């Protein structure tokens, strides 16, 4: 795995552990020489994630629409900042530049981004693996809902089992790497 796209919040959330987690994920990706592709923001968990990777000497590619740059939301000290026109273009660029996808804690944007790439995988538009870092059980309510959706017949068990979920970053990265090679 050369690069991973990480989706996460542009705020820190209510728990200080989320910021620590995001920073440590960035740091660990850099330590493993896995480039980070992310939304290009400077605030919240996105800022912590990118700072961890930068502090550890990692490659950090940010992708952000011009409208967000105009609002001064972009981080400009990255390895590579790619400014695009739309959110649709942003997600396409991120997907094109990543070998896998990972969701850290976040809100609607994080959900929308991870669900889109997961749907693309299910439809066969790419074979890049998708994962959730379920640190401190953050994603458990969502995962429970997805199991309910599967039980109701709207999400195949195969699709649900295809996503990598773990509370430990090393195990998530291992699972993504295994699916990448499969």
């Amino acid at each position: 795995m050369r690069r991973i796209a990480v989706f996460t919040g542009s705020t820190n959330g209510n728990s200080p552990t989320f910021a620590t987690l995001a920073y440590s994920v960035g740091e660990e990706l850099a330590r493993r020489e896995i480039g980070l592709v992310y939304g290009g923001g400077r605030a919240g968990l996105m800022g912590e994630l990118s700072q961890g990777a930068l502090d550890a000497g990692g490659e950090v590619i940010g992708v952000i629409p011009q409208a967000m740059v105009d609002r001064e939301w972009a981080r400009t000290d990255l390895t590579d900042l790619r400014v695009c026109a739309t959110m649709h273009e942003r997600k396409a660029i991120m997907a094109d530049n990543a070998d896998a996808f990972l969701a850290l804690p976040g809100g609607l944007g994080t959900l929308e981004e991870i669900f889109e790439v997961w749907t693309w995988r299910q439809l066969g538009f790419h074979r890049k693996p998708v994962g959730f870092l379920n640190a401190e059980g953050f994603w458990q309510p969502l995962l429970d809902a997805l199991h309910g959706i599967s039980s109701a017949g709207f999400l195949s068990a195969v699709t649900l089992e295809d996503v990598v979920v773990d509370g430990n970053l090393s195990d998530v990265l291992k699972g993504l790497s295994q699916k990448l090679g499969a």
Side-chain angles (χ1 to χ4, degrees), residues 83-95:
V83 179
C84 57
T86 68
M87 291 295 282
H88 295 294
E89 188 178 350
R90 175 198 213 181
K91 291 183 292 184
I93 293 168
M94 289 178 72

Side-chain angles (χ1 to χ4, degrees), residues 80-156:
D80 186 1
L81 179 64
R82 299 182 188 180
V83 179
C84 57
T86 68
M87 291 295 282
H88 295 294
E89 188 178 350
R90 175 198 213 181
K91 291 183 292 184
I93 293 168
M94 289 178 72
D96 286 345
N97 284 277
D99 301 311
F101 306 97
L102 180 62
L104 300 185
L108 287 178
T110 302
L111 287 170
E112 187 270 335
E113 290 165 328
I114 199 71
F115 276 118
E116 184 165 348
V117 296
W118 190 8
T119 301
W120 291 349
R121 179 171 166 89
Q122 177 201 17
L123 295 172
F125 295 157
H126 69 73
R127 293 302 312 148
K128 299 174 183 182
V130 176
F132 289 83
L133 181 55
N134 195 23
E136 296 186 22
F138 178 83
W139 292 114
Q140 200 56 54
L142 174 66
L143 297 166
D144 292 343
L146 290 170
H147 283 282
I149 291 167
S150 179
S151 294
F154 292 100
L155 177 62
S156 75

